[in-house]
Every structure is written in C-alpha cells, then in structure tokens.
Amino acid sequence: AGSPEVVPTCERYAVRRLPFARLADGDVAFFERLMPGRVLTGEEEVKPFNVDWLKSVRGCSQLVLKPQTTAEVSQVLRYCHERNLAVNPQGGNTGLVGGSVPVFDEIILSTALMNQIISFDKVSGILVCQAGCVLERLNEYLEEQGFIMPLDLGAKGSCHIGGNVATNAGGLRLLRYGSLRGTVLGLEVVLADGSALDCLTSLRKDNTGYDLKQLFIGSEGTLGVITAVSILCPQKPKAVNLAFLGCQSFAKVLETFTTCRAMLGEILSAYEFMDEKCMELVERHLKLSSPVADSPFYVLIETSGSNSAHDEEKLNNFLEQAMASGLVSDGTVATDDKKIKASLLRERITEALTHEGYVYKYDISLPVGKLYDLVTDMRARLGQSAKNVVGYGHLGDGNLHLNITAESYSHSLLDAIEPFVYEWTARCSGSISAEHGLGFKKKHFIQYSKPGEAVALMQQFKAMLDPKGILNPYKTLPSAP
C-alpha cells in the first residue's frame, strides 16, 4: 500500500493499548503442550497473519495458534480469559475493514486447520461444517452433490465460512438467496471464557426462545469464536446464463434493472454494475477485455433456473427489448467460455484496484436511485487529489462499493473523504457498511447508521459475553463510556 512495509495500525491511528497481559514464555509453553506443531512464533512465520489482504493495516502479534477442534479453541480461550490475554480470531484474512488482524500484540487464533465437513443431508440441503472450510472448496463439494453454497464472493478461494458468517458477508448471490441471517440455521460458538455454546441445529423452523445465533452473525469475532456452521444450501441450477450489457447513463442502468426484474422474474439471480473506470483498470492491470463496446456503465446479469431453453428465451427477449428501447447500447448473452470471462471482469475489480497504490474502500447501502450520486459527488469533491474514484456493486440489493485510489496513504486525503462519505450516506438514510462490517476502520462511525440507544445495547451485550474485552479488541464498537 504505497510501500512494502505497512505502518503498524496503532502508530498510524494513534490507538492506546488496553491493559491486557503481555505474552510470557510460560504462555507459549502451555499452547505448545496443547497443540504441538501448530503454534507459530517465528517473526517470518507470523508476519502474513499480522497484515491484512489490502496491506492497509498491520498488527504486532508474536503468536499464531492453529487449533483443529472446538475443544482446543475452548481451552485456548479459557486460558486467555484467566490470564487476561487478548485474542484476535482470524479466518481467511480477506476482510476489508481491518477486522481480521491484530492492532497490537493480540494472540492470533487461526481457524485454518478447522476445515472438516461434518455432514451433508441431500434431502434437506443442509450442510454442517467447521468454521475454517474455504468457501470455494465447500461449493465444489456441494456441486458434486447437486447443490451450491448460498453465497459467492470474489475472495471465495481463500475466505473461510466462519469468517463469512462472523462478518455476515453478502456477495453476488444475495439478490437470489438472501443474506446469511436467513440461510445459517445454527452455529457452534466458543465464548470468551472458554465455554462452548452448541446451537448447531439443522432445523429450518425452531421458535424456542431467542435466536441466539443472530448475535454472532455479523459480530466480527467480538462476542465469540465461531467454530462450526449449519447452513441451508440451494440446489445447483441446471441452467445458468449471463448477459453483459453496456448502458450510456446510470439512469438507464436503473431502468434496465426495472425491466429486467419484470421480464426475468424468478430466474434473476444477480444484477451487478460497474463504471467505465472500473473496466479500464481491469483491462490495464489484469489484461481482461470487455465483451461489449466502450460504455460509461456496464451491467452483468445472471439468471439461474431449471430449464435452459426457457431461460435463454426469456433472457434473449429481455435483451431484444432493452436494445430496441435504447436502454442498452450494446450487449451479449454469454456462452460458456465468455461466462467465466464476464464474471471475472466483475469479481476481480478489487484486485485490479490494488495495483493502483493505496485504496480507500467504502461499502455503502443506499436507495438505488441515489446509488451513483455519491461517486459523482466524491469525484467533484476530491478533484485531482485522488488518482481514481470508481463505483461498482450489487445494484439488485442497493449496495455500492466506492473506491478511491492514491499513490500512497495520505491523512489529508482521508480527512477529505471522512466523515463526508458517512454524512452523505446518513442524509440518504443509508448504511455505512452494507456487507464488509465495521472492523477497525469504521467502528467510530457507527452512529451514522445506528442510534445511540442501539449502540449502547450492543455494548451491553459485549460486556455480558466478554467482560474482560479480550475478543478482537479495538474493533466493531466504540469503547463503552
């Protein structure tokens, strides 16, 4: 991010270390007895776990633990709770808000070796697995059984399902299958004091008392460590089609979406958009080319259904109408070879942006009619002080990814962006975090999306479940008064 060595987060953001215990030789010896060969202490071994995927934040942990079982996680947390040692739970470390790496010297608890599939029921489509299973591996396993995971995102090759649940990740399939709050049926979680909470139900209907799993979905490792997940998986569609379109204005992107929903109905599974600047960066840095002519905006539509001929006919009819009415200036229905290429164009925008230097990333929910206005206003506000201001996202569920690039990190540029971006979002009754979470970078801006009473209640939950505050400190919530 401007240089190979990322400045430690605590130095860049002037954070004060909380009074947790310091790691001692006796602590390391205990963990080595508990899980021999799965304790990392060497500086080079630990280094990749200390830096986030974007290389924008860096911690100073000296210890990485790799448990394989819930019992081991339980013993680790019980010990850390007694010793007042802070713990940073970490999955695939693909988060984008600084929530997955330490701020100071927190012990990193990696779920990388908790990667076993526990069971899969072909009748109900319910998968039970450990938290460290990689999303793409799970999808490959399910496809062999005629099913798919209900979520799909660009980081699928390395993100863990436990991390997905802990951050309530959204992604490309949310329009069709909904959020993890609906598809996750049960969780197994280890609490801060080491006690294991087994809510790993495989029932779609369970109305007995409070739905405790919802507390941990989206809690970003601050309330407990997710060790296993029960999730409802849809059947694999027999027919998947993609259309890649060019639109001359954002108003036409919106109108195309309205027409698309009306004509494609139940088979519509994704509606993604990107601006021409995104396409330019993907072409320049990743050598991918657009299947349609140059346009100010591009749209990727995915349909999923059970009858290939029926779906293709509906998609072609839609495309003909969109072209004839002038909504779409160019478009193609993707064949198998082009399908992969078209989806890569959208999925790899984040990767292309990292080649531009430092990236300021914002994940916003807005009323769809105002979605691109924020990009336009931010370009006008920043002028030449930013290299690029680009917008893309999941238009089907009102989720904008606003990205601003610069040669290197600049505090003055950050001041020009924040809190303006959050104030703008709040005025439109939007959310400052649609799917990435708050992590370290956004925790002090939560008030732009949640009233003070709600934040106070969250802080009470945190104090009740983690009274010593050892789980993922400095993240998600501002400190309680």
Side-chain angles (χ1 to χ4, degrees):
S3 70
E5 273 302 316
V6 187
V7 178
T9 307
C10 56
E11 291 177 19
R12 174 179 289 172
Y13 294 94
V15 190
R16 184 177 296 174
R17 186 183 185 276
L18 294 172
F20 298 113
R22 302 273 182 184
L23 192 67
D25 290 344
D27 301 322
V28 177
F30 170 82
F31 295 126
E32 284 177 338
R33 286 195 301 273
L34 178 63
M35 51 184 89
R38 291 179 279 122
V39 176
L40 308 182
T41 54
E43 188 179 340
E44 288 305 308
E45 287 181 306
V46 173
K47 193 174 182 180
F49 297 87
N50 264 317
V51 184
D52 73 326
W53 182 81
L54 287 171
K55 294 184 172 56
S56 65
V57 285
R58 176 163 74 85
C60 305
S61 179
Q62 299 165 333
L63 181 68
V64 177
L65 306 177
K66 291 188 163 186
Q68 288 180 316
T69 66
T70 300
E72 288 180 344
V73 175
S74 186
Q75 287 175 276
V76 167
L77 289 185
R78 187 178 298 116
Y79 182 88
C80 290
H81 186 260
E82 289 169 1
R83 279 274 292 117
N84 196 34
L85 290 163
V87 178
N88 184 105
Q90 187 178 101
N93 196 12
T94 60
L96 300 174
V97 289
S100 59
V101 295
V103 176
F104 290 94
D105 55 348
E106 300 91 273
I107 293 169
I108 296 171
L109 181 66
S110 169
T111 57
L113 299 182
M114 300 185 71
N115 55 8
Q116 299 301 304
I117 291 170
I118 298 166
S119 66
F120 178 66
D121 186 325
K122 278 190 171 184
V123 177
S124 64
I126 295 168
L127 172 76
V128 182
C129 64
Q130 286 185 299
C133 291
V134 173
L135 180 59
E136 192 168 40
R137 300 289 87 78
L138 288 176
N139 205 65
E140 288 168 356
Y141 168 83
L142 288 169
E143 283 194 345
E144 292 172 6
Q145 322 284 324
F147 288 78
I148 58 170
M149 288 296 285
L151 76 158
D152 181 27
L153 42 145
K156 60 191 169 192
S158 46
C159 65
H160 296 180
I161 187 62
N164 297 149
V165 173
T167 56
N168 190 29
L172 308 169
R173 290 176 180 164
L174 192 137
L175 178 64
R176 177 66 173 272
Y177 301 117
S179 78
L180 288 170
R181 294 199 178 278
T183 53
V184 170
L185 303 178
L187 293 175
E188 179 184 69
V189 182
V190 178
L191 303 180
D193 64 359
S195 55
L197 180 66
D198 184 357
C199 292
L200 202 60
T201 179
S202 293
L203 301 171
R204 290 189 69 179
K205 286 186 169 183
D206 180 6
N207 241 358
T208 50
Y210 303 137
D211 189 0
L212 293 178
K213 70 175 181 291
Q214 295 295 349
L215 264 182
F216 302 98
I217 299 172
S219 67
E220 303 186 71
T222 61
L223 299 181
V225 177
I226 295 169
T227 52
V229 177
S230 169
I231 188 164
L232 181 66
C233 303
Q235 282 196 294
K236 181 182 178 181
K238 291 186 173 67
V240 176
N241 292 293
L242 292 179
F244 200 78
L245 317 174
C247 293
Q248 291 302 306
S249 68
F250 190 71
K252 289 190 174 179
V253 171
L254 292 173
E255 220 179 317
T256 302
F257 178 53
T258 305
T259 306
C260 175
R261 274 196 306 189
M263 294 189 70
L264 300 179
E266 76 289 346
I267 65 169
L268 178 64
S269 54
Y271 190 96
E272 305 284 310
F273 89 97
M274 55 194 275
D275 62 23
E276 61 183 337
K277 201 72 189 172
C278 290
M279 179 64 76
E280 183 188 309
L281 295 176
V282 169
E283 289 181 333
R284 186 193 318 156
H285 296 301
L286 306 180
K287 311 305 178 195
L288 297 170
S289 57
S290 171
V292 302
D294 291 350
S295 295
F297 293 92
Y298 299 90
V299 170
L300 178 68
I301 294 169
E302 182 190 76
T303 66
S304 305
S306 57
N307 186 315
S308 183
H310 166 267
D311 293 1
E312 283 180 30
E313 184 183 358
K314 287 186 86 161
L315 192 53
N316 283 319
N317 287 342
F318 155 73
L319 193 54
E320 282 174 25
Q321 178 159 326
M323 297 277 281
S325 60
L327 291 179
V328 172
S329 53
D330 192 10
T332 178
V333 175
T335 60
D336 283 339
D337 289 341
K338 287 182 182 170
K339 268 182 200 173
I340 299 163
K341 188 176 171 186
S343 62
L344 278 176
L345 286 168
R346 163 63 183 87
E347 286 181 19
R348 295 182 68 189
I349 295 170
T350 300
E351 181 187 345
L353 283 160
T354 61
H355 292 270
E356 284 287 288
Y358 190 87
V359 189
Y360 301 83
K361 304 188 77 67
Y362 299 92
D363 161 47
I364 308 289
S365 272
L366 290 165
V368 287
K370 297 180 182 293
L371 208 61
Y372 201 72
D373 292 349
L374 178 54
V375 183
T376 307
D377 286 1
M378 190 59 80
R379 276 187 188 139
R381 178 179 174 82
L382 299 181
Q384 298 301 307
S385 60
K387 258 175 100 174
N388 290 296
V389 179
V390 307
Y392 65 98
H394 318 292
L395 190 128
D397 43 69
N399 182 185
L400 169 72
H401 294 307
L402 169 71
N403 286 255
I404 297 151
T405 65
E407 288 294 346
S408 59
Y409 174 79
S410 157
H411 204 75
S412 61
L413 180 55
L414 182 65
D415 286 344
I417 300 167
E418 300 174 9
F420 173 83
V421 64
Y422 301 127
E423 291 167 349
W424 197 105
T425 302
R427 282 197 300 273
C428 296
S429 302
S431 167
I432 66 162
S433 178
E435 60 179 1
H436 292 167
L438 295 167
F440 173 80
K441 294 180 181 178
K442 289 186 178 183
K443 72 168 190 171
H444 288 300
F445 300 109
I446 190 172
Q447 74 274 10
Y448 288 103
S449 289
K450 291 288 186 288
E453 295 82 0
V455 176
L457 192 57
M458 292 179 202
Q459 288 166 331
Q460 287 174 44
F461 281 128
K462 170 70 172 172
M464 179 182 71
L465 292 173
D466 182 14
K468 292 187 175 181
I470 66 167
L471 284 178
N472 221 9
Y474 322 103
K475 318 280 177 62
T476 307
L477 296 177
S479 300

